[in-house]
Amino acid sequence: MFEVSFIPSFKDNYIWLLTQGQRAFVVDPGDAAPVLARLEADDLKLEGILITHHHADHQGGVAELKARYQAEVFAPAEESITGCTRPLCGGECIDVLGQTMRVLAVPGHTLGHLAYHAPGMLFCGDTLFGAGCGRLFEGTPAQMAASLESIAALPNETLIYCAHEYTEMNLRFALAVEPENPALQQRVAKVAALRAAGLPSVPSTLAEEKATNPFLRCAEPVVIAAGIQNAAVDHSKTAIFAAIRAWRNVF
Ligand code: ZN
Ligand code: FE
């Protein structure tokens, strides 16, 4: 199995670096410069790029990296991605540094959004965040709720490698939804300590997200009540999700 580390970029993006010896893949290189610097410093050869969705902060570095390394570019078939060589729709299995990864279609933030799953880890772009989820730029609440449900069905110990350091901000909202949730209060303290030490708050585990992320807790009585207070049309998971997501947008 490859090793995972991160390359910080822009204000709060994480570009995940997968390495097996000197062979490398990156996930969502929005900017080529920090990736090139790391590849050169560690004497790595970039063999492939995994793209979750078309936003510039996730694919902006592809052209330059591909020109330098002739890397394969795995990306959503339905989205406009510079230099895509392996268009994907979800459901495929791909080889990443000798490891089989499963491609999941997780529409919502964008319509072609993909996540990449290997045993014990998920690279999910802007779908699921630490204690939060992506904005619905293109998809419907029903699509995003279904995407989050398919992620929630993975094993609890799965590490959630999302693309942004948004956890502290998301936790403030999560506490507004569930002020009495002890797992949430513990996570607030843990994340504050990590960030104060200059460390990332991610990856989390799926178990942690299920215990603290309001968008994975739309069947919990307290979250349902918060959804109803925020104009949910009924008690269904999708309606509660839609109401909580709309509240988050104005929080
Ligand atoms: Zn995005
Ligand atoms: Fe993003």
Side-chain angles (χ1 to χ4, degrees), residues 6 168 189-201:
F6 67 92
E168 274 190 309
K190 179 183 155 189
V191 168
L194 285 168
R195 298 303 294 148
L199 297 170
S201 67

Side-chain angles (χ1 to χ4, degrees), residues 5-17 26-38 57 163-165 195 198-200:
S5 60
F6 67 92
I7 302 168
S9 75
F10 304 122
K11 193 168 134 267
D12 51 34
N13 283 70
Y14 291 122
I15 299 169
W16 298 105
L17 173 67
V26 285
V27 185
D28 285 352
D31 190 5
V35 177
L36 288 169
R38 176 70 177 274
D57 64 312
H164 289 273
E165 181 60 61
R195 298 303 294 148
L199 297 170

Side-chain angles (χ1 to χ4, degrees), residues 45-128:
K45 184 182 182 302
L46 187 69
E47 292 188 2
I49 298 171
L50 305 180
I51 299 291
T52 62
H53 68 291
H54 67 88
H55 290 158
D57 64 312
H58 298 255
Q59 67 149 327
V62 171
E64 206 176 327
L65 291 170
K66 205 183 158 202
R68 169 78 173 74
Y69 288 98
Q70 290 87 46
E72 284 261 52
V73 179
F74 299 80
E78 290 171 40
E79 299 191 353
S80 164
I81 311 286
T82 315
C84 175
T85 59
R86 296 283 299 273
L88 301 166
C89 296
E92 300 91 345
C93 286
I94 61 173
D95 181 273
V96 175
L97 303 171
Q99 170 69 48
T100 299
M101 292 192 87
R102 202 161 53 89
V103 183
L104 277 68
V106 286
H109 179 68
T110 65
L111 284 175
H113 203 302
L114 300 176
Y116 298 88
H117 177 241
M121 60 181 80
L122 181 75
F123 298 89
C124 57
D126 289 357
T127 298
L128 182 63

